[in-house]
Amino acid sequence: MAESVFRAHLAEDGLDGLVEVDSAGTGGWHEGDGADPRTVAVLRAGGYAHAHTARQFRASWFDRLDLVIALDSGHLRELRSLAPTEQDAAKVRLLRSYATSAAADAGPGQLPGLISDSDLTGGLDVPDPYYGGFAGFEECLEMIETASEGLLAAVRTALTARAVVTARAPGHDAPRDPHRSRPKERA
């Protein structure tokens, strides 16, 4: 569900060609299966495209990923425990930490989504609607849509920062003032 919603946000913002979005579970019990029919129905009703085959997340993927989004604190802990390095573990964030109110709580200069394991209380979890009724799937969609707006803003900011860094050639960190004279070279 989150993959479909975030893909739609990226497409609306014109960033779909710059960001790769994928989905995988922490366990392999549904590997190879399609999405729950209730998920598909909620996504269709919300106007989202959907194509999904379940698979399990692999620790070897960390080296090619910039960000790994978990939907609940249990998955966050599990994904961080799979991370080969501390830098990889820091890539794992809770989706709802990007919701507007949670991002505002992060404070200036802090990146939303970076939560220590000791801070986890479950308050930012997207609940698993699997064992409930259709309304639980609708509630999850609403939470995911809200958080995806904040995640999109964070990704947009990261892409802008990366573009600025990439645009500077090595050794040319500061723009040159054309009106300033250069020191003369000595022979």
Side-chain angles (χ1 to χ4, degrees):
M1 186 181 295
E3 176 188 359
S4 296
V5 170
F6 194 62
R7 279 185 191 278
H9 280 285
L10 288 169
E12 282 177 23
D13 211 51
L15 298 175
D16 50 331
L18 298 173
V19 178
E20 183 181 332
V21 179
D22 209 343
S23 177
T26 55
W29 48 91
H30 291 292
E31 204 160 3
D33 295 344
D36 184 293
R38 296 167 293 179
T39 297
V40 174
V42 166
L43 287 170
R44 283 190 184 140
Y48 295 103
H50 180 72
H52 176 74
T53 302
R55 61 197 181 123
Q56 187 173 2
F57 186 88
R58 308 279 184 247
S60 61
W61 297 351
F62 273 106
D63 67 338
R64 66 178 176 85
L65 300 173
D66 296 317
L67 187 61
V68 177
I69 299 296
L71 295 188
D72 68 41
S73 53
H75 294 147
L76 180 85
R77 278 190 291 273
E78 192 169 343
L79 288 163
R80 284 182 176 171
S81 73
L82 288 173
T85 67
E86 285 185 28
Q87 289 104 342
D88 288 330
K91 294 176 183 179
V92 184
R93 311 285 175 83
L94 277 172
L95 176 62
R96 287 195 59 216
S97 66
Y98 290 94
T100 306
S101 61
D105 290 344
Q110 291 181 322
L111 187 61
L114 190 54
I115 296 172
S116 71
D117 289 339
S118 61
D119 292 336
L120 296 175
T121 60
L124 294 176
D125 287 358
V126 174
D128 184 350
Y130 187 78
Y131 296 103
F134 192 76
F137 286 82
E138 292 174 319
E139 179 185 1
C140 285
L141 178 61
E142 195 173 301
M143 290 176 175
I144 289 168
E145 287 174 329
T146 299
S148 289
E149 292 172 13
L151 177 58
L152 178 64
V155 167
R156 190 183 312 112
T157 299
L159 286 172
T160 301
R162 186 177 287 172
V164 169
V165 169
T166 304
R168 292 188 178 148
H172 297 278
D173 293 333
R176 200 178 117 238
D177 181 352
H179 302 291
R180 189 172 167 198
S181 63
R182 289 191 200 175
K184 292 184 181 182
E185 294 182 9
R186 295 187 183 189

